[in-house]
């Protein structure tokens, strides 16, 4: 309250020196006298011009104020303040490095660190189980295109808040006695969740149901009601997998859920990774085929049923990967469309 030594130091930012006697009526005075304290010196710790702490010194004798000692203590306070200010700045930088500036949630780097810790814990304790959820907003681009990126940012913030609330609520099932979760923003419209101390897949589905329930009500963004749906991929740990591998598996499962039309949940299985690897290899092979002119065209005549004459031709593309191996469109056109290479193939056909 500014009356005792610490209050004066906090209020003025200067060293406060008080001699206690029976004539004074300061807060805590009777307690101090009962303890044999006769002199109190309060030293403010300054970070810039702000008092961030106060250190109090006590003596059993009544000491007259010493200007030299007060000056020395003030310099000590300034030095301690500079150290504290530097530590606070380092703490802010560390926090910013591991948190998303938009949602204030942990970011991907923070999440991967916690996921790696979970992997290490599983290696030590075989009965410890966890799962990773990869959440993606369906058709989020429509919000940005129609209402603007500011509205999109606002939606992301609100979704983060609802997800945080949903995961913080206590679950009633007994298997969640030690349940813990970590929510992070992984990308533009992507969130990831680490569920720890789970017992079985049904526990994961319980959490997923809660997440869907939390996002069921519309969001009011710029006076517009915005309904959202999400696709969720789920991955569980496997032997010798790294944090990046598990997160990748959850991501693959999420994209498989999106292929089903959005609003779905998909658990990862190894065939998804095999397909993704195959797509990557085929994509690279298509690029090689374009560079080395491995595509060929076959022309199928179009015959008029009335006259029996050829009235046109249909161009059919094939991929002559080797002299002995001819690949048909069903095996590469879809991948070419997904990767954007179909445009280069179209231009080659036209030429």
């Amino acid at each position: 309250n500014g009356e005792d030594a610490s209050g004066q130091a906090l209020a003025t930012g200067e060293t406060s020196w008080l001699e206690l006697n029976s004539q004074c009526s300061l807060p805590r005075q009777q307690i101090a006298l009962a303890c044999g304290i006769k002199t109190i010196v309060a030293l403010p710790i300054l970070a810039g011009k702000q008092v961030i702490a106060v250190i109090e010194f006590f003596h059993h004798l009544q000491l007259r104020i010493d200007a030299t000692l007060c000056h020395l203590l003030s310099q000590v306070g300034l030095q301690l303040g500079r150290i504290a200010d530097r530590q606070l700045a380092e703490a802010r930088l560390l926090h910013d490095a591991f948190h998303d500036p938009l949602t204030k949630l942990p970011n991907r780097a923070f999440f991967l660190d916690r996921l790696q810790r979970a992997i290490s814990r599983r290696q030590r304790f075989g009965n410890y189980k966890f799962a990773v959820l990869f959440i993606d907003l369906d058709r989020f681009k429509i919000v940005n295109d129609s209402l603007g990126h500011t509205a999109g940012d606002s939606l992301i913030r609100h979704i983060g808040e609802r997800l945080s609330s949903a995961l913080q609520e206590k679950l009633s099932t007994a298997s969640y006695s030690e349940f813990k979760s970590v929510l992070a923003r992984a990308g533009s419209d992507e969130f990831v969740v680490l569920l720890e101390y789970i017992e079985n897949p049904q526990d994961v589905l319980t959490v997923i149901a809660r997440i869907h329930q939390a996002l069921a009500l519309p969001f009011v963004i710029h006076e517009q009601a915005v309904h959202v749906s999400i696709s969720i991929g789920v991955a569980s740990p496997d032997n010798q997998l790294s944090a990046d591998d598990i997160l990748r598996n959850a991501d693959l499962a999420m994209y498989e859920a999106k292929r089903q039309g959005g609003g779905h949940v998909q658990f990862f299985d190894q065939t998804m990774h095999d397909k993704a690897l195959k797509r990557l290899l085929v994509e690279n092979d298509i690029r090689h085929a374009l560079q080395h002119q491995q595509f060929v065209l076959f022309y199928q005549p179009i015959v008029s049923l009335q006259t029996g004459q050829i009235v046109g031709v249909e161009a059919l593309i094939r991929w002559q990967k080797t002299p002995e191996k001819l690949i048909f469109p069903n095996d590469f056109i879809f991948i070419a469309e997904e990767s954007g290479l179909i445009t280069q193939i179209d231009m080659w056909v036209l030429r």
Side-chain angles (χ1 to χ4, degrees), residues 23-89:
Q23 305 302 317
C24 299
S25 58
L26 298 175
R28 301 183 298 165
Q29 174 178 307
Q30 296 305 319
I31 298 175
L33 290 174
C35 295
I37 297 173
K38 301 293 182 63
T39 304
I40 301 176
V41 179
L43 170 65
I45 307 302
L46 296 169
K49 295 183 178 180
Q50 181 182 4
V51 179
I52 60 173
V54 175
I55 301 176
E56 284 188 308
F57 300 91
F58 306 98
H59 202 282
H60 67 283
L61 298 177
Q62 278 194 342
L63 301 178
R64 302 299 299 272
I65 188 168
D66 187 324
T68 302
L69 183 56
C70 283
H71 177 73
L72 177 61
L73 288 174
S74 298
Q75 294 305 307
V76 171
L78 287 173
Q79 293 302 319
L80 290 175
R82 291 191 181 102
I83 294 172
D85 198 28
R86 183 166 61 249
Q87 290 177 336
L88 289 172

Side-chain angles (χ1 to χ4, degrees), residues 278-296:
K278 180 181 178 182
R279 283 197 298 269
L280 178 62
L281 294 175
V282 171
E283 180 182 332
N284 290 337
D285 286 346
I286 292 174
R287 296 180 188 277
H288 181 271
L290 284 166
Q291 293 174 359
H292 294 83
Q293 301 293 312
Q294 291 181 348
F295 290 111
V296 294

Side-chain angles (χ1 to χ4, degrees), residues 88 97 112 117 122 127 132 174 180 189 201 227 254 300 344:
L88 289 172
L112 286 173
R117 295 187 189 187
R122 177 175 169 80
N127 60 345
V132 173
K180 294 180 181 178
D189 58 346
H227 295 264
M254 180 274 294
Q300 179 172 288
Q344 296 182 44

Side-chain angles (χ1 to χ4, degrees), residues 149-206:
H149 288 274
T150 302
D153 288 346
S154 179
L155 178 61
I156 291 294
R157 280 195 300 270
H158 288 304
I159 289 175
E161 291 169 359
R162 286 199 192 178
L163 289 176
S164 295
S165 298
L167 292 169
Q168 287 171 3
E169 294 179 14
K170 297 293 184 182
L171 299 178
S172 58
T173 56
S175 62
Y176 282 94
S177 59
E178 294 186 277
F179 174 79
K180 294 180 181 178
S181 65
V182 177
L183 170 66
R185 186 185 181 201
S188 173
D189 58 346
E190 298 170 337
F191 296 86
V192 285
V193 180
L194 172 62
L195 302 178
E196 299 188 77
Y197 299 100
I198 62 175
E199 295 293 332
N200 53 63
Q202 184 57 46
D203 294 341
V204 178
L205 293 176
T206 302

